[in-house]
């Protein structure tokens, strides 16, 4: 695993279906969700300001806007619920 590739294929497959689609909306289509999500994870793990995000994640503004959008539209809540349900199903939660 590299310094900037943070999600394994298995981890990504567990949450990919929960990502919102840009189909039918005005404007540009969404940039790749996986690279944006890895940028968000990187930013929080490193504890850096959004502006210091490495360029390989895309423009920091795009990563910040997607994080904000996911907070407002319930995407983070869906991901959290799915992962908790999976953990509970295999007995990892008491």
């Amino acid at each position: 695993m590299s310094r900037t590739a943070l999600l394994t294929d298995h981890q990504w497959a567990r949450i990919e279906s929960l990502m919102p689609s840009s189909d039918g909306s005005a404007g540009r289509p969404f940039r790749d969700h996986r690279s944006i999500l890895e940028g968000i994870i990187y930013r929080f793990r490193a504890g850096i300001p959004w502006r210091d995000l490495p360029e390989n994640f895309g423009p920091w503004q795009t990563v910040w806007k997607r994080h904000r959008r996911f907070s407002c539209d319930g995407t983070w809540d869906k991901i959290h619920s799915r992962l908790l349900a999976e953990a509970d199903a295999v007995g990892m939660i008491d």
Side-chain angles (χ1 to χ4, degrees), residues 9-26:
D9 290 338
H10 176 69
Q11 291 168 327
W12 175 245
R14 291 170 65 192
I15 61 173
E16 183 177 17
S17 64
L18 302 174
M19 296 289 120
S21 172
S22 63
D23 295 343
S25 56

Side-chain angles (χ1 to χ4, degrees), residues 9 13 16 26-27 30 33 35-36 70-72 88:
D9 290 338
E16 183 177 17
F30 283 152
H33 279 305
S35 66
I36 296 293
F70 289 172
S71 296
C72 293
D88 192 31

